[in-house]
Amino acid sequence: MTLLATACGGGSDDAGTQTTEGTAGATGGTVTVYHVNDVEHLDPGRNFVTDSGAIGKLITRTLTDYRYDAKAKKTVLENDLAASYENSPDFKTWTFKLKDGIKYEDGTPIVAADIKYGAERSFAADMAEGAPYAKNYLDCPGYKGPYVGGNNGGKGCTAIEVPDEKTIVFKLNQPVTTFEGAASMKIWSPVPKAKDTKTAYDNRPFASGPYKIESYTRKKQLVLVRNDQWDAKTDPLRTAKPDKFIFKFGDAEATVDQRLFADGAADKSSVSFAGVQPENIAKTNQANVKDRVVESTDVCRRYIAFNQQKPLLKNQKLREALYYGLDRTSYRDARGGERLAAVIDSIIPQDLDGYKPEEHFKAPPEGDPAKAKAALAESGYKGEKLVLGSADSGLAVKAAEAAQASWKAVGINVDIRKIPGDNYYSTQQQDASATDLITAGWCQDWASLATIVPPVLGPDTTAPNKAAQNNYGRSQDGWDKMAELNKETDKAKLVTGLSDLYTEVMKTAPLVPVVQDLNVYVVGSNIDNAVADPNAGGLPDLTQIALKKAN
């Protein structure tokens, strides 16, 4: 899953540290959530960024999903719409049975055909920003989605079978040993065909979760109200204590900090998707603030990709110069310093099976100017301008400026292009609009290297010689080996193979890992059970949040 392009916060070494009092919380009331940008997409076929994912989890359900257990400090896979699932011995056929009593907001039952249709929508060109796993894994060669050719003559994707209203069977084109994790992606959310409005569905997805959309004014405000057809007995993930969520878009992060610190009447029931800004961190120790601080780490990693579609960046020596020349400590400091970010050497989290320390470039955190200049001399670079893409607000711009300065110090000229945060990744995924250097972030979709290495470095399996939508460097190194590993059914061998492949591809410098966010939030004094979910980019977990007193 793509990491929010702007900023989260900062924090400690303990994922999901909860520092507000965790009680059952009151039922009812309204929670206000501040966010500097509107989200890119709410359509589950296109929803693949951490902030929109956190909101989408309130509106739409999936076959399975992950719940963060703050007390145990672990993430647990739960059955969401699925009552059970099983796989064939070769891991190429997966069968899910749906629960009883699951309904949409209008009271109609959720049936297996709706999940099939929702997955089919993700094949459409208009849904290209969403999770790629249906296109990558389902054995539907040449299928273009339901809006083309009468939906394959009415048959749709023939690799999805619906023998009855409660059963859905997926036939895969390769063994996927962790497909139960893949089933947590938003593309497996049910979409009733009669409610599909194509791209306009982005503004009003039909609710299967505990909340439905009351109103949505783009770039200003989203209001969710209770879906009275949702049955808590069917849902192990969402407590759904508040009656309403109001998302307010556009206020500057530092302004929101001041509101939450002050804890005025209007903000006692408020949280923010932006963590505390660096200039305000010291204020978290104030007597009236410190008991309202929530801290966490997350599984996401930030990096800068070098777009090899650009002629200059086909030159590996120039990419190596960029790798060596980046002072990651100044990048970290621009994102708020050691309380708010930590320098990394890999986009693979250290506690994920398959992580290995970087041993090829061995660039220190502050970079290696001498090696950068030597690689630059070998590259034949003549001072041409490169363009670094950055989201247009918050710490993202400051970090981009730090990168620009460190590259200037070794003789590389870089301009910054600021892109609105609410369509940043959509812009960078288009070959025609992507910049030379691309600031990006990635979060594992579930605990597997298969959700890091192929999405970030691999091909689009539906289009020959085209990079995956989140392969911002457009690197093609290692694709043959990746295709071989797609056939592996032994989980241990798959981990070893992908880990070794990542090490080899990184020797070509397709990107430079930069920092891991650390997350610090301040919440209003009426907020209860405030938990930051490391599996969702460290954002506040809205599925568990409540109010101490209904407002």
Side-chain angles (χ1 to χ4, degrees):
M1 181 181 291
T2 308
L3 177 60
L4 178 61
T6 50
C8 292
S12 68
D13 291 333
D14 291 328
T17 300
Q18 176 188 325
T19 57
T20 61
E21 290 296 320
T23 64
T27 297
T30 299
V31 172
T32 297
V33 183
Y34 291 107
H35 193 14
V36 66
N37 293 309
D38 194 354
V39 296
E40 292 201 41
H41 300 292
L42 288 178
D43 184 331
R46 306 169 79 181
N47 188 338
F48 200 39
V49 182
T50 50
D51 57 344
S52 56
I55 299 173
K57 201 168 183 176
L58 299 175
I59 304 169
T60 55
R61 299 175 66 178
T62 49
L63 286 168
T64 64
D65 211 336
Y66 287 92
R67 175 181 58 83
Y68 181 64
D69 185 333
K71 291 182 179 179
K73 290 190 170 72
K74 66 178 182 179
T75 300
V76 181
L77 183 67
E78 301 275 14
N79 286 349
D80 193 358
L81 293 174
S84 63
Y85 54 84
E86 61 183 17
N87 60 271
S88 61
D90 65 358
F91 297 100
K92 293 179 73 173
T93 301
W94 288 76
T95 302
F96 291 78
K97 296 284 187 177
L98 300 187
K99 294 175 180 176
D100 295 327
I102 50 176
K103 300 177 183 179
Y104 292 109
E105 61 181 82
D106 65 352
T108 56
I110 295 168
V111 296
D114 299 339
I115 294 172
K116 172 180 165 72
Y117 185 72
E120 288 171 342
R121 292 176 76 248
S122 73
F123 284 81
D126 289 338
M127 306 292 151
E129 305 94 338
Y133 299 110
K135 292 179 287 189
N136 288 355
Y137 291 162
L138 292 174
D139 194 13
C140 301
Y143 182 61
K144 300 296 184 184
Y147 312 134
V148 175
N151 195 16
N152 192 22
K155 295 177 289 188
C157 172
T158 55
I160 309 175
E161 298 175 357
V162 182
D164 58 60
E165 290 190 346
K166 293 288 186 181
T167 307
I168 187 163
V169 182
F170 299 104
K171 301 295 183 74
L172 310 185
N173 58 21
Q174 62 191 72
V176 181
T177 59
T178 56
F179 189 75
E180 73 275 24
S184 69
M185 296 289 98
K186 296 288 188 293
I187 54 170
W188 313 110
S189 296
V191 176
K193 185 176 181 180
K195 298 293 183 181
D196 184 14
T197 54
K198 299 184 180 179
T199 56
Y201 198 71
D202 224 7
N203 299 318
R204 185 61 172 81
F206 204 53
S208 52
Y211 298 92
K212 60 185 178 180
I213 295 175
E214 180 180 75
S215 63
Y216 188 12
T217 303
R218 283 282 185 179
K219 300 183 185 295
K220 291 185 178 180
Q221 182 169 282
L222 167 69
V223 179
L224 304 183
V225 295
R226 190 175 294 283
N227 171 15
D228 61 7
Q229 297 299 316
W230 169 80
D231 185 352
K233 295 191 295 293
T234 70
D235 194 333
L237 292 130
R238 304 161 183 86
T239 60
K241 291 286 187 176
D243 284 335
K244 180 185 287 189
F245 284 90
I246 299 176
F247 296 86
K248 295 184 176 182
F249 305 122
D251 290 330
E253 295 102 321
T255 300
V256 173
D257 279 355
Q258 299 310 317
R259 290 176 182 166
L260 293 174
F261 291 151
D263 198 37
D267 287 306
K268 290 184 182 298
S269 300
S270 298
V271 299
S272 176
F273 270 2
V276 176
Q277 298 301 289
E279 63 269 28
N280 295 322
I281 278 291
K283 296 178 183 178
T284 60
N285 296 319
Q286 293 175 355
N288 68 328
V289 176
K290 63 182 181 181
D291 291 336
R292 298 186 285 118
V293 173
V294 177
E295 301 191 41
S296 81
T297 57
D298 59 48
V299 298
C300 307
R301 299 295 182 264
R302 295 191 184 275
Y303 60 94
I304 300 176
F306 309 141
N307 185 354
Q308 293 179 44
Q309 277 195 332
K310 306 293 185 177
L312 284 174
L313 291 166
K314 294 182 186 295
N315 185 324
Q316 181 172 328
K317 285 300 177 181
L318 179 56
R319 300 197 304 271
E320 290 179 7
L322 288 161
Y323 191 110
Y324 282 122
L326 183 62
D327 181 350
R328 287 173 289 168
T329 62
S330 68
Y331 195 95
R332 174 203 64 200
D333 293 345
R335 292 195 68 90
E338 294 180 353
R339 178 86 188 274
L340 301 175
V343 171
I344 58 172
D345 68 348
S346 174
I347 62 169
I348 299 172
Q350 285 103 321
D351 57 356
L352 184 65
D353 194 13
Y355 165 80
K356 292 186 288 191
E358 200 283 319
E359 294 288 347
H360 180 70
F361 293 109
K362 296 183 180 179
E366 63 275 11
D368 191 325
K371 288 185 177 179
K373 291 176 181 177
L376 198 62
E378 287 187 63
S379 75
Y381 174 73
K382 297 174 181 169
E384 298 95 332
K385 283 282 179 67
L386 298 173
V387 177
L388 171 64
S390 168
D392 65 349
S393 62
L395 304 182
V397 173
K398 294 178 182 178
E401 290 170 347
Q404 178 188 44
S406 62
W407 282 324
K408 182 178 180 180
V410 298
I412 303 173
N413 297 317
V414 173
D415 285 341
I416 296 171
R417 178 185 169 198
K418 301 174 186 177
I419 301 169
D422 55 6
N423 66 357
Y424 176 77
Y425 284 114
S426 300
T427 300
Q428 296 289 26
Q429 287 168 358
Q430 300 299 316
D431 292 343
S433 55
T435 56
D436 303 308
L437 313 172
I438 300 172
T439 56
W442 188 254
C443 316
Q444 64 194 41
D445 290 316
W446 60 96
S448 169
L449 283 182
T451 73
I452 298 176
V453 180
V456 176
L457 296 170
D460 179 341
T461 58
T462 68
N465 300 315
K466 180 176 173 59
Q469 67 190 42
N470 300 109
N471 180 349
Y472 297 109
R474 280 75 172 175
S475 167
Q476 296 192 12
D477 291 294
W479 286 8
D480 289 343
K481 181 63 177 177
M482 220 171 283
E484 291 178 22
L485 290 170
N486 285 343
K487 304 171 185 176
E488 183 58 69
T489 59
D490 185 297
K491 291 184 180 181
K493 290 181 179 178
L494 179 61
V495 169
T496 299
L498 287 172
S499 178
D500 290 345
L501 177 60
Y502 174 80
T503 298
E504 288 305 307
V505 173
M506 284 301 296
K507 290 178 182 178
T508 70
L511 57 86
V512 56
V514 283
V515 296
Q516 167 192 359
D517 289 343
L518 307 174
N519 307 297
V520 173
Y521 303 96
V522 170
V523 302
S525 60
N526 192 38
I527 293 290
D528 195 28
N529 207 40
V531 173
D533 183 356
N535 205 53
L539 292 171
D541 187 350
L542 303 181
T543 67
Q544 301 186 46
I545 207 165
L547 298 177
K548 294 174 183 176
K549 295 181 180 179
N551 51 9

